[in-house]
């Protein structure tokens, strides 16, 4: 017999996280734990208001499936019962981990992926939106700690001034930009040309989802990545011509199962892959690592923003994320990260 436990937690942030849509000082997460034959396994999701996802709604979705879950619901059945999104993500990842625990296998083994020999993956460090000087200071601090890939959160204010200040503080770092849908009405062709001079490697979601047809006619020397415009594998074919890349997030697509399907579909459509995250703990990030090895850019730095992380936790340092197999989750201090 399998048992299901659902809990909601509020994880305080070590410092405010600011993007074009607003600021956050804490992140709510929903954790699902499955126990079967004496072993337990967990999954975590981070409901996001941008996708009309809230903790109480996630818990209600999961409760409607309690009887099916506790009588042996499979990942394949789950994909037919819940839409892409946070609730499916938490349960899908818990089911993957439960299978691994029962078989004595890791997510790498279950998915048929081979982890990098070095045991670590280059990971972006996000620069929260703020004044140019503070963002430049954050960039200098990040590269001083070994960061090699910086993700710059921007709105439509002082775009070039902020990028110039960050580039001056991090002359050798790879820079990618996330506009979070904020550049509607901006002269994109001129902006893209100007940003090219700063060696920007990628721009994520410049226009609002559903309002991005202008990208079909816009020459962009810098690759453009779909985030809010791309939720699951069925979206990918329709994005060709607008975007060069997709950002796979487990909370958007509904878990590791759909994320793997998105990787396969992206390859079929000739599109490149990024793997990203919502704010959350190592429990959420570790589930995305089998996808990260197929990604050109990896943005799984959510735990670095937390005042506390889930233990056993991923290791962040020298611009990389490394791991040990995770099981249950406990909170431990994040060392002021």
């Amino acid at each position: 017999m399998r048992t299901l436990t659902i809990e909601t937690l509020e994880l305080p942030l070590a410092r405010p996280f600011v993007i074009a849509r607003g600021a956050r000082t804490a992140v709510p997460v929903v954790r699902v734990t499955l126990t079967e034959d004496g072993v337990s396994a967990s999954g975590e999701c981070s409901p996001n208001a941008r996708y009309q996802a809230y903790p109480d709604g996630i818990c209600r979705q999961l409760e409607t499936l309690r009887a099916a879950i506790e009588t042996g619901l499979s990942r394949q059945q789950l994909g037919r019962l819940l839409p892409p999104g946070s609730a499916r993500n938490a349960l899908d990842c818990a089911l993957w981990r439960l299978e691994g625990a029962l078989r004595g296998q890791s997510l790498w083994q279950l998915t048929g992926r081979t982890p990098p020999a070095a045991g670590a993956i280059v990971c972006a460090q996000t620069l929260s939106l703020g004044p140019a000087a503070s963002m430049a200071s954050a960039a200098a601090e990040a590269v001083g700690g070994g960061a090699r890939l910086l993700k710059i959160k921007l709105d439509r204010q002082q775009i070039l001034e902020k990028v110039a200040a960050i580039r001056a503080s991090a002359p050798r770092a790879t820079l990618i930009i996330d506009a979070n849908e904020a550049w509607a009405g901006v002269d994109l062709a001129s902006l893209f040309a100007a940003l090219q001079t700063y060696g920007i490697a990628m721009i994520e979601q410049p226009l609002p989802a559903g309002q991005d047809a202008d990208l079909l006619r816009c020459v962009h020397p810098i690759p453009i990545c779909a985030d809010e415009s791309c939720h699951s594998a069925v979206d990918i074919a329709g994005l060709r011509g607008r975007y060069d890349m997709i950002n796979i997030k487990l909370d958007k697509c509904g878990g590791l199962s759909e994320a793997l399907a998105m990787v396969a579909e992206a390859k079929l459509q000739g599109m490149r892959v990024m793997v990203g995250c919502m704010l959350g703990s190592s429990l959420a990030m570790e589930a995305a690592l089998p996808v990260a090895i197929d990604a050109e850019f990896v943005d799984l730095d959510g735990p670095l923003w937390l005042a506390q992380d889930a233990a056993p936790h991923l290791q962040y340092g020298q611009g990389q994320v490394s791991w040990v197999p995770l099981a249950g989750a406990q909170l431990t201090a994040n060392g002021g990260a």
Side-chain angles (χ1 to χ4, degrees), residues 25 31 61 83 189 193 280 288 304 309 314:
T25 57
R31 288 192 183 143
Q61 280 184 289
L304 291 179
D309 190 11
L314 299 176

Side-chain angles (χ1 to χ4, degrees), residues 296-314:
E296 186 170 339
F297 298 113
V298 174
D299 176 28
L300 297 175
D301 69 336
L304 291 179
W305 289 89
L306 302 181
Q308 294 179 310
D309 190 11
H313 49 79
L314 299 176

Side-chain angles (χ1 to χ4, degrees), residues 79-153:
R80 295 190 290 270
L81 294 175
L82 282 182
S86 294
R88 196 167 102 188
N89 173 33
L91 187 50
D92 180 77
C93 292
L95 286 167
W96 274 100
R97 289 194 174 107
L98 180 62
E99 180 179 348
L102 292 171
R103 291 187 178 188
Q105 294 183 323
S106 68
L107 287 180
W108 297 103
Q109 293 168 312
L110 286 178
T111 58
R113 258 62 176 174
T114 302
I121 294 172
V122 173
C123 182
Q125 192 158 331
T126 302
L127 304 181
S128 182
L129 179 64
S134 64
M135 295 184 76
S137 176
E141 181 179 354
V143 296
R148 296 174 250 172
L149 173 62
L150 301 179
K151 179 174 177 177
I152 306 169
K153 291 287 188 179

